[in-house]
Amino acid sequence: MMRKFTNLQTDLLRTFVTVVDLRNYTETGQILGRTQPAISLQIKRLEEISGAKLLSHKGKQVELTPDGQALLGYAREILRLNDRAVANLQQAAFLGTLRIGLPVDYSIEYFQTIIAEFARQNPAVMLDIRCDRSRELLSALHVDDLDLAIAITDQMPAPHVSIYWSERPVWVCARDHRIDPAQPLKLIAHPDGCFYRKRMIDALDTEGRDWRVAFESLGVSALQKAVLDGMGVTALTKKTLLRGMRVLAPTEGFPKLSNIHVGLFYKHVKMSDAALKLIEKIAENVSTFRLPTRARSEGN
């Protein structure tokens, strides 16, 4: 017996994603050149085709339902592939300026390499790159000061995320570093508000272990050097470990840390052809960069 296929129309998906990004039917209509009632009808039609309630309303606030949450990542990916295919077939010129956010609290060098290669292949695209804490990058994206960002967040799914993956930080110190159990544990950490810092402190407080912050810096490279200089212990992802570091195990009194979540964030309605091409390049490389756990494609 042949399977019956249901086709999700790209115009309906575009309306859905734009409503989610803008949280407003009227603004969505203005962006897409339709009336507010037409936008409402398109959302209703998509819900009929998918057989699920996708959006709910609390007063004037538009919220995703669990089914809408599940569809959103797929919708973004379908639209990205659609728009990239059209751009390639029409031989679109990749022009303009891209404002990109990269996290100082993650493996920034890896993404810099991807973006540098993109810049060499697309010299007509101007790149403005901001390196900052993840929270600041996501705030900038929210108010349209950035076009796309790689960032860490505490929970997933999150607003405007296209793809994401999870990694478990590990405790590390210098290879020959000796920890005095009679003294408060010396921590090397990003400033307050960092997800790594919170995980370290939460784990130590749960164990009832004394600690103090001995070294604090915004950038991961400064933390790496402080570890190698024997100034204390910190939490890093495996991609940011360096030769000369030693991973500390639970048997040594260092409990497992909770996962961090890393994502590629953007608003599809704001994306140029050049931006979509860079997003495609990042997405392709992320598939080889991330840990073996499957990255999800989910949104808000």
Side-chain angles (χ1 to χ4, degrees), residues 4-252:
K4 182 180 178 181
F5 289 96
T6 299
N7 294 315
L8 300 174
Q9 300 168 8
T10 54
D11 60 331
L12 302 182
L13 293 176
R14 195 177 304 279
T15 297
F16 170 63
V17 169
T18 307
V19 167
V20 171
D21 281 349
L22 300 180
R23 300 288 178 172
N24 187 287
Y25 279 48
T26 301
E27 289 184 30
T28 297
Q30 292 170 352
I31 290 286
L32 299 181
R34 298 186 178 91
T35 64
Q36 186 270 336
I39 296 299
S40 297
L41 286 172
Q42 285 196 311
I43 294 297
K44 183 178 180 181
R45 177 59 180 153
L46 182 59
E47 289 179 331
E48 290 172 350
I49 293 172
S50 62
K53 181 70 174 174
L54 303 174
L55 298 174
S56 63
H57 301 82
K58 296 180 181 178
K60 294 184 178 180
Q61 188 70 25
V62 179
E63 299 289 346
L64 277 165
T65 67
D67 286 326
Q69 186 81 70
L71 175 62
L72 183 59
Y74 294 110
R76 290 191 193 278
E77 187 70 3
I78 291 167
L79 292 176
R80 182 182 67 79
L81 292 172
N82 176 85
D83 294 349
R84 282 289 291 121
V86 171
N88 283 337
L89 290 170
Q90 295 178 349
Q91 297 184 333
F94 298 112
L95 307 168
T97 300
L98 288 183
R99 301 165 301 166
I100 304 163
L102 294 178
V104 293
D105 44 5
Y106 191 61
S107 185
I108 193 170
E109 294 85 358
Y110 179 82
F111 295 105
Q112 282 179 320
T113 300
I114 297 171
I115 292 168
E117 182 181 353
F118 173 86
R120 288 191 295 270
Q121 294 172 349
N122 301 274
V125 179
M126 300 290 291
L127 300 180
D128 288 344
I129 300 173
R130 180 190 305 182
C131 299
D132 206 338
R133 291 197 297 180
S134 291
R135 287 185 178 182
E136 304 305 322
L137 296 178
L138 293 178
S139 295
L141 182 76
H142 180 72
V143 297
D144 295 330
D145 283 344
L146 288 175
D147 297 310
L148 60 105
I150 304 290
I152 298 172
T153 189
D154 212 19
Q155 293 183 334
M156 284 292 184
H160 311 305
V161 70
S162 172
I163 59 172
Y164 71 90
W165 60 103
S166 299
E167 297 192 36
R168 186 183 297 277
V170 294
W171 293 97
V172 297
C173 66
R175 181 176 296 151
D176 298 325
H177 183 64
R178 294 293 175 260
I179 298 167
D180 185 351
Q183 297 295 323
L185 183 67
K186 294 185 289 184
L187 293 183
I188 297 169
H190 294 294
D192 194 27
C194 165
F195 298 116
Y196 295 85
R197 180 181 177 132
K198 183 177 186 301
R199 279 153 175 72
M200 287 193 291
I201 292 173
D202 286 349
L204 294 173
D205 285 349
T206 299
E207 296 286 316
R209 187 168 182 179
D210 290 337
W211 56 269
R212 69 179 183 88
V213 176
F215 184 95
E216 183 176 279
S217 176
L218 185 63
V220 68
S221 59
L223 267 60
Q224 291 169 319
K225 187 175 189 308
V227 169
L228 294 175
D229 287 342
M231 300 184 69
V233 305
T234 194
L236 295 173
T237 56
K238 291 182 179 179
K239 290 293 184 182
T240 53
L241 300 183
L242 300 179
R243 187 183 299 275
M245 291 182 180
R246 176 167 62 92
V247 175
L248 297 161
T251 54
E252 300 174 81

